[in-house]
Amino acid sequence: MNILLAVLTSAIAVGGTLIGSWSTYLFQRRTAERAEAVNREERLRQERLAAFSTYAAAVTELKRGLITLWFRRRRALRDQDTREELQAAQLDSDRLGAAAEAAAFRLRLVADDPGLRPLMTAISTHLGAISHAADRQAVIAIEARFEEAVTAFIDAAAARVQ
């Protein structure tokens, strides 16, 4: 009878140990899964934040390049700029345009949000209007509307990464 009691006690002890180990494993696994989900969300938030800021910086640089090109074209018409300077401004604008387009593609990949598309379209519209500006006052007015559109974009983007 003592042997049976010893075996039963040992079996209960082993069973308790196994149940304790199994429950610890399950709790640790759940904790690790939750931590991974939080890390994944934080990485996505960081990616979105980087994409938003990269896009805003790229379109702002493109605006600068387009305004420079606009002034160089006006000076070239009055023979105040050399052809090389005009070509350099054109190449710079093309490079900046490609960078802005790449930033927009990346933004759509990591944060494709239908609510941001009209804001991005407004930014593009103002950028496109720069080359058609009739005079310096028109460029200044377009630049002001561009800045308003970028501010609206940044405000909307900030709400999405908080």
Side-chain angles (χ1 to χ4, degrees):
M1 189 70 155
N2 284 340
I3 294 177
L4 185 60
L5 189 57
V7 169
L8 184 59
T9 304
S10 295
I12 291 172
V14 168
T17 301
L18 289 174
I19 289 171
S21 295
W22 181 253
S23 62
T24 300
Y25 166 75
L26 289 177
F27 287 127
Q28 286 178 345
R29 191 175 94 190
R30 283 189 200 154
T31 301
E33 287 171 353
R34 282 190 212 121
E36 180 59 30
V38 168
N39 287 340
R40 202 175 314 123
E41 284 298 316
E42 180 58 21
R43 281 192 310 268
L44 181 57
R45 190 184 84 73
Q46 291 295 326
E47 275 293 315
R48 287 179 176 157
L49 181 62
F52 291 141
S53 61
T54 299
Y55 174 75
V59 295
T60 300
E61 276 298 302
L62 177 57
K63 177 207 53 146
R64 180 203 51 80
L66 290 172
I67 290 174
T68 298
L69 179 61
W70 185 88
F71 279 106
R72 293 274 165 89
R73 282 183 177 150
R74 296 301 178 268
R75 288 182 188 137
L77 291 174
R78 296 186 314 251
D79 290 326
Q80 291 180 358
D81 257 270
T82 66
R83 184 81 176 139
E84 293 82 24
E85 288 174 330
L86 181 59
Q87 286 175 337
Q90 180 66 51
L91 287 173
D92 188 44
S93 291
D94 288 345
R95 181 186 58 76
L96 293 170
E101 189 173 36
F105 291 153
R106 179 170 183 252
L107 179 58
R108 290 194 63 191
L109 286 172
V110 298
D112 191 20
D113 185 334
L116 294 176
R117 289 182 194 160
L119 300 172
M120 294 171 71
T121 299
I123 289 170
S124 294
T125 299
H126 297 308
L127 288 171
I130 292 171
S131 66
H132 303 293
D135 57 24
R136 186 168 195 239
Q137 292 305 316
V139 170
I140 292 169
I142 292 167
E143 186 175 16
R145 289 191 301 272
F146 168 84
E147 295 298 332
E148 289 170 2
V150 169
T151 299
F153 172 82
I154 290 171
D155 291 344
R160 285 160 173 80
V161 294
Q162 304 237 346

